[in-house]
Amino acid sequence: MQFLDEDLYEAIKNYIPKVSEYVNSHGGGIELLGVKDGTVYITLTGACGGCSMSLMTTKMVVQKKLRELIHPALTVVNVDGTPENVMPEDAYTGPKEEEKKEETTEEKHGMLDNLKHMVGL
């Protein structure tokens, strides 16, 4: 797969709400943990977290939908505490806290400037 882990992470993050509809309807949720070499690491939360059907949900719902939306070679792993479903330590897990703070500050500054401009300040 020719995607950088960072780019794939952002794409997955943007599609998680759409993919989560089925899981949400069953009282659960999906948390994106990280990405490494075309493998997406999630955890199912809420009612889906301990469900015996979580493997089926991961493969037949989450993986299937993400393959349709992003790339047919994606693999999704539900990090559920079992030895075979562990996220590698070097997986990309999103922007660091400092980067998140900078983004938030820039967004707020941009909104304030827009509001000031709208009211003529």
Side-chain angles (χ1 to χ4, degrees):
M1 190 175 306
Q2 298 179 7
F3 295 108
L4 294 174
D5 290 340
E6 294 86 352
D7 294 337
L8 191 53
Y9 181 93
E10 288 302 315
I12 301 293
K13 188 172 80 170
N14 289 329
Y15 281 116
I16 283 289
K18 185 169 186 65
V19 175
S20 295
E21 292 170 359
Y22 174 82
V23 176
N24 293 344
S25 73
H26 289 257
I30 301 172
E31 181 182 341
L32 173 60
L33 301 177
V35 174
K36 173 129 174 98
D37 299 329
T39 300
V40 179
Y41 296 91
I42 64 165
T43 188
L44 296 176
T45 61
C48 295
C51 177
S52 62
M53 297 298 288
S54 62
L55 177 61
M56 293 299 291
T57 300
T58 301
K59 297 300 179 185
M60 301 305 292
V61 176
V62 180
Q63 180 173 281
K64 180 181 178 193
K65 191 66 175 172
L66 288 174
R67 284 180 170 180
E68 290 171 9
L69 294 168
I70 299 172
H71 196 280
L74 280 178
T75 302
V76 177
V77 173
N78 178 29
V79 178
D80 59 4
T82 59
E84 62 271 9
N85 294 330
V86 175
M87 184 172 75
E89 290 182 19
D90 61 342
Y92 179 77
T93 57
K96 306 289 183 262
E97 282 302 313
E98 303 85 44
E99 293 173 22
K100 287 181 185 177
K101 287 179 186 175
E102 286 176 19
E103 288 174 10
T104 304
T105 303
E106 288 174 14
E107 289 172 11
K108 286 181 182 178
H109 179 71
M111 270 197 298
L112 286 174
D113 287 341
N114 290 339
L115 286 172
K116 287 178 183 177
H117 179 70
M118 288 172 60
V119 296
L121 295 177

